[in-house]
Amino acid sequence: MPPVPAPALTVLTTTDSAESAERLARSAVEARLAACAQVSGPITSVYHWNDAIETGQEWQVSFKTTEERYEELEAQLTAAHPYETPEIIALPVVRGSAGYLAWLTAETSAR
Amino acid sequence: MPPVPAPALTVLTTTDSAESAERLARSAVEARLAACAQVSGPITSVYHWNDAIETGQEWQVSFKTTEERYEELEAQLTAAHPYETPEIIALPVVRGSAGYLAWLTAETSAR
Amino acid sequence: MPPVPAPALTVLTTTDSAESAERLARSAVEARLAACAQVSGPITSVYHWNDAIETGQEWQVSFKTTEERYEELEAQLTAAHPYETPEIIALPVVRGSAGYLAWLTAETSAR
């Protein structure tokens, strides 16, 4: 029987520049709302906006955090993000190495 | 108590060119089978094929959609994809900002 | 009613070079602990380490495997990884094309 799914999450957002992505990554890690964050890009985004199809260059940020910290991370991202309605979604981590998950939990615990 | 996991999905596929990836992204968004799609690459793929290990350059497409639209998206991707058996997998979105998930649901609703 | 979530996983790790990433990808696929693996990068990682915020360049490896093979894959990654406590996390695949999931299961079955 696999262990109970670790209460960890991968939280994703996208933004319109590498600088903005690194700012969002750094402020979340500094506030211990994520143990780490990874910026990848540029990616090409295709999306609906006001009934037209738009294509744009974006950078993705992937935060590793716990379910306990999710709402604070969402609030910080919403406040700091340059978009009005940014993508902020969380995918569940159902398995993980014990050492890494312990580190993740420790790094996102209040000090 | 966190809200009931939003019925949203991140659907992933990979393909062999940026053009093919953007075509798959655009046609899904045009048909409102995804609210948005992100193309990243080139990535290096390592995989089994006919008992040998192959390495190739690919581009990944990540679609944001709802569980309700999944089967139609899978059918369209299967029909439009250059591969015979493409990777088409869905990861669950268990949390997300209310504004974004509402936008995602609206953009994938039939008009 | 969607089919029972396929027992498949996307397993993620990051490492400090493209060569290391490809070695981890190839050895997992060779051992049939993953049907395929995708290397993307460089990405910028921001993380806590010894109470400081570090930024570094990394490469991400995304393995497609089954729940059944997860523990063996985690063990191999832990042993082969250059880091002491590498990120090794698994996200659940809840939907997928039948053909692809059948291929994935076949390629990770012992021979």
Side-chain angles (χ1 to χ4, degrees):
Chain A
M1 248 290 293
V4 172
L9 297 171
T10 291
V11 177
L12 302 176
T13 195
T14 57
T15 188
D16 54 9
S17 71
E19 295 69 28
S20 167
E22 289 192 27
R23 256 195 317 273
L24 293 170
R26 182 171 280 273
S27 54
V29 172
E30 267 165 6
R32 293 194 176 280
L33 299 178
C36 61
Q38 286 128 13
V39 174
S40 53
I43 59 177
T44 304
S45 287
V46 181
Y47 53 94
H48 273 282
W49 198 258
N50 299 338
D51 277 329
I53 304 240
E54 300 283 342
T55 300
Q57 214 176 45
E58 289 191 303
W59 277 256
Q60 183 180 58
V61 191
S62 164
F63 303 86
K64 305 298 171 1
T65 190
T66 58
E67 282 183 19
E68 208 180 293
R69 290 300 216 168
Y70 173 76
E71 283 179 18
E72 291 167 86
L73 175 58
E74 182 187 306
Q76 187 189 62
L77 288 177
T78 305
H81 207 288
Y83 299 177
E84 205 185 299
T85 312
E87 171 185 304
I88 303 173
I89 57 175
L91 311 181
V93 172
V94 289
R95 305 293 299 271
S97 78
Y100 180 76
L101 294 177
W103 173 81
L104 192 157
T105 303
E107 293 300 336
T108 52
S109 307
R111 303 281 159 127
Chain B
M1 247 288 293
V4 174
L9 296 172
T10 291
V11 177
L12 302 176
T13 194
T14 57
T15 187
D16 53 9
S17 72
E19 295 70 26
S20 167
E22 288 191 28
R23 256 194 318 272
L24 293 171
R26 181 170 281 273
S27 56
V29 172
E30 267 166 7
R32 292 195 176 280
L33 299 179
C36 61
Q38 287 128 12
V39 174
S40 53
I43 59 178
T44 303
S45 287
V46 181
Y47 52 95
H48 274 283
W49 199 258
N50 300 337
D51 277 330
I53 304 237
E54 300 284 342
T55 301
Q57 215 176 44
E58 290 192 302
W59 277 258
Q60 182 181 60
V61 191
S62 164
F63 304 86
K64 302 300 172 359
T65 190
T66 58
E67 283 183 17
E68 209 178 295
R69 290 300 214 166
Y70 173 77
E71 284 182 16
E72 291 167 271
L73 175 57
E74 181 187 307
Q76 186 188 63
L77 288 176
T78 303
H81 206 288
Y83 297 179
E84 206 185 298
T85 312
E87 170 185 304
I88 303 173
I89 57 175
L91 310 181
V93 172
V94 290
R95 306 292 299 271
S97 79
Y100 180 76
L101 295 177
W103 173 80
L104 193 156
T105 303
E107 293 300 334
T108 52
S109 306
R111 300 287 161 123
Chain C
M1 245 293 287
V4 172
L9 297 170
T10 292
V11 176
L12 303 175
T13 194
T14 57
T15 187
D16 54 10
S17 72
E19 294 70 25
S20 168
E22 288 192 27
R23 257 195 316 273
L24 293 170
R26 181 170 281 273
S27 54
V29 173
E30 269 166 3
R32 294 196 176 278
L33 299 179
C36 61
Q38 286 127 11
V39 174
S40 53
I43 59 177
T44 304
S45 287
V46 182
Y47 53 95
H48 274 281
W49 199 257
N50 300 338
D51 278 330
I53 305 242
E54 300 282 343
T55 299
Q57 215 176 43
E58 290 192 302
W59 278 258
Q60 182 180 59
V61 190
S62 164
F63 303 86
K64 303 297 170 5
T65 189
T66 57
E67 282 183 22
E68 207 179 294
R69 289 300 215 167
Y70 173 77
E71 282 178 17
E72 291 168 270
L73 176 57
E74 181 187 307
Q76 187 190 60
L77 288 176
T78 304
H81 206 289
Y83 298 178
E84 206 186 301
T85 312
E87 170 185 304
I88 303 173
I89 57 175
L91 310 181
V93 172
V94 290
R95 306 292 299 272
S97 80
Y100 180 76
L101 294 177
W103 172 81
L104 191 156
T105 304
E107 294 300 334
T108 52
S109 306
R111 303 285 160 120

XYZ file of all heavy atoms in Angstrom, chain C residues 9-63:
417
model
N 1.911 7.564 -13.413
C 2.458 8.724 -12.701
C 3.393 9.506 -13.614
O 4.035 8.928 -14.495
C 3.270 8.266 -11.486
C 2.579 7.516 -10.359
C 3.623 6.964 -9.388
C 1.573 8.392 -9.625
N 3.493 10.801 -13.372
C 4.570 11.623 -13.911
C 5.508 11.887 -12.737
O 5.070 12.433 -11.718
C 4.015 12.947 -14.463
O 3.218 12.672 -15.614
C 5.137 13.891 -14.853
N 6.754 11.433 -12.853
C 7.718 11.613 -11.765
C 8.720 12.681 -12.188
O 9.227 12.647 -13.317
C 8.440 10.286 -11.445
C 9.510 10.472 -10.373
C 7.427 9.224 -11.002
N 8.972 13.632 -11.306
C 9.840 14.764 -11.633
C 11.095 14.781 -10.760
O 11.020 14.487 -9.561
C 9.096 16.084 -11.411
C 7.789 16.298 -12.163
C 7.143 17.614 -11.726
C 7.992 16.277 -13.662
N 12.222 15.107 -11.366
C 13.422 15.426 -10.620
C 14.118 16.579 -11.332
O 13.770 16.897 -12.478
C 14.363 14.207 -10.473
O 15.345 14.501 -9.454
C 15.096 13.899 -11.769
N 15.061 17.206 -10.667
C 15.884 18.227 -11.321
C 17.352 17.908 -11.015
O 17.649 17.259 -9.999
C 15.580 19.637 -10.756
O 15.785 19.625 -9.332
C 14.153 20.062 -11.054
N 18.253 18.332 -11.879
C 19.664 18.088 -11.637
C 20.483 19.222 -12.249
O 19.920 20.116 -12.880
C 20.091 16.713 -12.188
O 21.438 16.440 -11.787
C 19.965 16.634 -13.695
N 21.806 19.183 -12.060
C 22.618 20.374 -12.336
C 23.283 20.419 -13.715
O 24.063 21.342 -13.994
C 23.706 20.506 -11.257
C 24.530 19.215 -11.128
O 24.380 18.318 -11.997
O 25.282 19.093 -10.157
N 22.986 19.438 -14.594
C 23.544 19.529 -15.964
C 22.672 18.719 -16.919
O 21.978 17.778 -16.508
C 24.975 18.978 -16.001
O 24.956 17.561 -15.869
N 22.762 19.071 -18.193
C 22.000 18.336 -19.212
C 22.505 16.896 -19.277
O 21.710 15.951 -19.415
C 22.146 19.032 -20.561
N 23.815 16.720 -19.098
C 24.382 15.363 -19.172
C 23.827 14.501 -18.042
O 23.395 13.378 -18.245
C 25.921 15.408 -19.080
C 26.597 16.083 -20.258
C 26.336 17.609 -20.255
O 26.073 18.203 -19.154
O 26.317 18.187 -21.365
N 23.833 15.068 -16.840
C 23.303 14.328 -15.691
C 21.828 13.996 -15.918
O 21.381 12.877 -15.654
C 23.477 15.189 -14.432
O 22.750 14.659 -13.343
N 21.086 14.949 -16.442
C 19.655 14.730 -16.692
C 19.451 13.601 -17.700
O 18.632 12.701 -17.494
C 19.022 16.017 -17.213
N 20.237 13.605 -18.770
C 20.065 12.558 -19.790
C 20.500 11.192 -19.262
O 19.918 10.174 -19.592
C 20.801 12.953 -21.071
C 20.065 14.094 -21.762
C 20.535 14.382 -23.180
O 21.050 13.456 -23.862
O 20.394 15.557 -23.597
N 21.548 11.193 -18.399
C 21.966 9.906 -17.798
C 20.825 9.344 -16.942
O 20.491 8.167 -17.027
C 23.215 10.117 -16.930
C 24.523 9.659 -17.554
C 25.653 9.559 -16.546
N 25.721 10.697 -15.628
C 26.385 11.840 -15.875
N 26.995 11.999 -17.042
N 26.423 12.817 -14.972
N 20.227 10.199 -16.106
C 19.129 9.729 -15.245
C 17.964 9.235 -16.110
O 17.363 8.192 -15.823
C 18.670 10.873 -14.324
C 19.664 11.343 -13.256
C 19.170 12.624 -12.588
C 19.914 10.252 -12.201
N 17.675 9.962 -17.185
C 16.567 9.576 -18.075
C 16.854 8.228 -18.714
O 16.047 7.299 -18.657
C 16.383 10.652 -19.150
N 18.051 8.102 -19.295
C 18.401 6.873 -20.035
C 18.427 5.660 -19.099
O 17.877 4.603 -19.415
C 19.738 7.071 -20.745
C 20.202 5.891 -21.571
C 21.409 6.242 -22.435
N 20.972 6.968 -23.623
C 20.591 6.347 -24.756
N 20.592 5.031 -24.829
N 20.207 7.040 -25.806
N 19.027 5.806 -17.921
C 19.153 4.606 -17.054
C 17.772 4.138 -16.577
O 17.516 2.945 -16.458
C 20.093 4.879 -15.877
O 19.682 6.009 -15.178
N 16.864 5.075 -16.346
C 15.521 4.666 -15.912
C 14.782 3.949 -17.044
O 14.128 2.928 -16.839
C 14.730 5.883 -15.454
N 14.935 4.485 -18.263
C 14.237 3.860 -19.405
C 14.876 2.505 -19.708
O 14.191 1.512 -19.928
C 14.263 4.805 -20.627
C 13.712 4.112 -21.873
C 13.446 6.072 -20.325
N 16.217 2.432 -19.651
C 16.898 1.154 -19.910
C 16.428 0.077 -18.944
O 16.204 -1.072 -19.317
C 18.430 1.319 -19.800
C 19.083 1.663 -21.124
C 20.524 2.168 -20.963
O 21.047 2.194 -19.822
O 21.110 2.573 -21.992
N 16.244 0.461 -17.667
C 15.831 -0.507 -16.632
C 14.326 -0.738 -16.652
O 13.795 -1.462 -15.813
C 16.254 0.011 -15.261
N 13.634 -0.105 -17.584
C 12.160 -0.222 -17.707
C 11.454 0.243 -16.429
O 10.387 -0.208 -16.079
C 11.753 -1.646 -18.091
C 12.219 -2.033 -19.491
C 11.532 -3.257 -20.059
N 11.944 -3.510 -21.433
C 11.439 -2.905 -22.504
N 10.497 -1.981 -22.344
N 11.877 -3.173 -23.722
N 12.081 1.229 -15.763
C 11.425 1.854 -14.606
C 10.596 3.047 -15.076
O 9.870 3.674 -14.309
C 12.479 2.270 -13.584
C 13.311 1.109 -13.018
C 14.351 1.626 -12.040
C 12.412 0.063 -12.375
N 10.758 3.415 -16.328
C 9.935 4.450 -16.975
C 9.826 4.080 -18.449
O 10.785 3.539 -19.025
C 10.559 5.827 -16.820
N 8.699 4.373 -19.062
C 8.517 4.093 -20.500
C 9.218 5.168 -21.321
O 9.730 4.921 -22.401
C 7.036 4.062 -20.839
N 9.259 6.377 -20.773
C 9.955 7.461 -21.449
C 10.294 8.542 -20.424
O 9.768 8.525 -19.299
C 9.099 8.059 -22.566
S 7.538 8.779 -22.000
N 11.178 9.414 -20.810
C 11.580 10.504 -19.919
C 11.885 11.715 -20.785
O 12.424 11.573 -21.895
C 12.803 10.116 -19.100
N 11.520 12.884 -20.292
C 11.749 14.105 -21.070
C 12.624 15.072 -20.288
O 12.347 15.363 -19.120
C 10.413 14.749 -21.438
C 9.688 13.985 -22.524
C 8.249 13.606 -22.199
O 7.682 14.084 -21.208
N 7.655 12.764 -23.023
N 13.685 15.525 -20.906
C 14.626 16.459 -20.280
C 14.346 17.862 -20.820
O 14.309 18.069 -22.032
C 16.083 16.071 -20.606
C 17.052 17.134 -20.073
C 16.422 14.695 -20.036
N 14.112 18.796 -19.915
C 13.918 20.186 -20.360
C 14.846 21.088 -19.535
O 15.133 20.813 -18.369
C 12.466 20.619 -20.191
O 12.023 20.377 -18.872
N 15.283 22.126 -20.160
C 16.173 23.057 -19.440
C 17.039 23.826 -20.408
O 16.974 23.597 -21.611
N 17.878 24.743 -19.916
C 18.039 25.032 -18.500
C 16.838 25.791 -17.924
O 16.198 26.553 -18.637
C 19.308 25.880 -18.457
C 19.356 26.557 -19.794
C 18.750 25.582 -20.765
N 16.567 25.547 -16.656
C 15.556 26.294 -15.924
C 16.294 27.018 -14.802
O 17.426 26.643 -14.458
C 14.457 25.359 -15.343
C 15.037 24.311 -14.411
C 13.678 24.709 -16.480
C 14.006 23.413 -13.764
N 15.666 28.060 -14.256
C 16.271 28.776 -13.131
C 15.570 28.345 -11.851
O 14.349 28.485 -11.731
C 16.115 30.304 -13.308
O 16.690 30.672 -14.560
C 16.785 31.061 -12.180
N 16.340 27.795 -10.943
C 15.748 27.347 -9.678
C 16.101 28.319 -8.561
O 17.245 28.764 -8.444
C 16.275 25.950 -9.335
O 15.684 25.002 -10.195
N 15.087 28.637 -7.763
C 15.258 29.515 -6.595
C 14.868 28.675 -5.387
O 13.792 28.059 -5.384
C 14.334 30.753 -6.691
C 14.540 31.696 -5.496
C 14.577 31.501 -8.003
N 15.728 28.581 -4.391
C 15.428 27.655 -3.290
C 16.144 28.043 -2.006
O 17.077 28.827 -2.027
C 15.830 26.230 -3.683
C 17.248 26.099 -4.172
C 18.286 25.739 -3.325
C 17.546 26.361 -5.513
C 19.586 25.650 -3.790
C 18.851 26.267 -5.972
C 19.856 25.909 -5.103
O 21.143 25.830 -5.574
N 15.648 27.534 -0.931
C 16.293 27.711 0.377
C 17.390 26.677 0.520
O 17.167 25.512 0.192
C 15.273 27.434 1.496
C 14.452 28.608 1.866
N 14.925 29.606 2.672
C 13.205 28.964 1.502
C 13.971 30.516 2.837
N 12.933 30.163 2.113
N 18.546 27.089 0.997
C 19.560 26.100 1.367
C 20.385 26.691 2.497
O 20.959 27.764 2.334
C 20.422 25.724 0.147
C 21.109 24.432 0.406
C 22.411 24.230 0.744
C 20.499 23.135 0.395
N 22.638 22.899 0.941
C 21.506 22.204 0.742
C 19.206 22.672 0.128
C 21.247 20.832 0.823
C 18.969 21.309 0.213
C 19.979 20.410 0.558
N 20.347 25.996 3.634
C 21.062 26.505 4.828
C 20.674 27.956 5.098
O 21.530 28.816 5.231
C 22.574 26.358 4.655
C 22.955 24.900 4.455
O 22.190 24.011 4.841
N 24.076 24.665 3.804
N 19.357 28.202 5.114
C 18.819 29.510 5.508
C 19.163 30.670 4.594
O 18.954 31.832 4.939
C 19.223 29.845 6.960
C 18.255 29.144 7.932
O 17.092 28.977 7.496
O 18.666 28.753 9.009
N 19.689 30.349 3.426
C 19.913 31.443 2.442
C 19.075 31.113 1.208
O 18.626 29.975 1.036
C 21.392 31.516 2.071
N 18.846 32.115 0.367
C 18.108 31.881 -0.882
C 19.149 31.712 -1.979
O 19.973 32.600 -2.193
C 17.186 33.073 -1.201
C 16.259 33.351 -0.016
C 16.448 32.837 -2.518
C 14.805 33.210 -0.256
N 19.110 30.591 -2.632
C 20.079 30.286 -3.692
C 19.357 30.319 -5.041
O 18.180 29.998 -5.136
C 20.654 28.878 -3.480
C 21.385 28.671 -2.168
C 22.797 29.264 -2.194
O 23.322 29.535 -3.299
O 23.345 29.499 -1.095
N 20.080 30.706 -6.076
C 19.542 30.636 -7.440
C 20.533 29.833 -8.263
O 21.739 30.041 -8.144
C 19.416 32.049 -8.050
O 18.514 32.782 -7.210
C 18.832 32.021 -9.446
N 20.012 28.882 -9.023
C 20.938 28.077 -9.826
C 20.286 27.596 -11.093
O 19.053 27.608 -11.234
N 21.119 27.171 -12.034
C 20.616 26.636 -13.299
C 20.456 25.125 -13.162
O 21.346 24.443 -12.648
C 21.617 26.955 -14.418
C 20.943 27.247 -15.746
C 21.906 27.647 -16.844
O 22.985 27.055 -17.006
N 21.499 28.636 -17.623
N 19.291 24.608 -13.548
C 19.063 23.164 -13.468
C 18.387 22.654 -14.730
O 17.961 23.436 -15.588
C 18.159 22.848 -12.262
C 18.834 23.070 -10.913
C 18.016 22.482 -9.779
O 16.844 22.880 -9.624
O 18.538 21.604 -9.054
N 18.312 21.327 -14.831
C 17.577 20.660 -15.906
C 16.556 19.762 -15.240
O 16.850 19.129 -14.197
C 18.523 19.839 -16.775
C 19.212 20.699 -17.807
C 18.908 20.796 -19.128
C 20.303 21.597 -17.573
N 19.740 21.703 -19.743
C 20.617 22.210 -18.794
C 21.048 21.949 -16.446
C 21.621 23.150 -18.947
C 22.067 22.886 -16.582
C 22.336 23.480 -17.825
N 15.310 19.758 -15.790
C 14.247 18.941 -15.209
C 14.105 17.664 -16.026
O 14.238 17.669 -17.251
C 12.914 19.702 -15.210
C 11.789 18.876 -14.563
C 10.473 19.604 -14.541
O 9.942 19.986 -15.591
N 9.916 19.826 -13.343
N 13.861 16.545 -15.321
C 13.555 15.283 -16.003
C 12.154 14.856 -15.570
O 11.848 14.875 -14.368
C 14.558 14.164 -15.652
C 14.347 12.953 -16.579
C 15.999 14.657 -15.753
N 11.316 14.548 -16.552
C 9.947 14.116 -16.278
C 9.798 12.693 -16.794
O 9.913 12.443 -18.002
C 8.981 15.057 -16.999
O 7.696 14.483 -17.081
N 9.597 11.735 -15.855
C 9.493 10.321 -16.202
C 8.016 9.923 -16.265
O 7.232 10.334 -15.423
C 10.151 9.448 -15.130
C 11.590 9.776 -14.862
C 11.944 10.769 -13.949
C 12.608 9.099 -15.516
C 13.278 11.078 -13.690
C 13.946 9.388 -15.273
C 14.277 10.386 -14.363
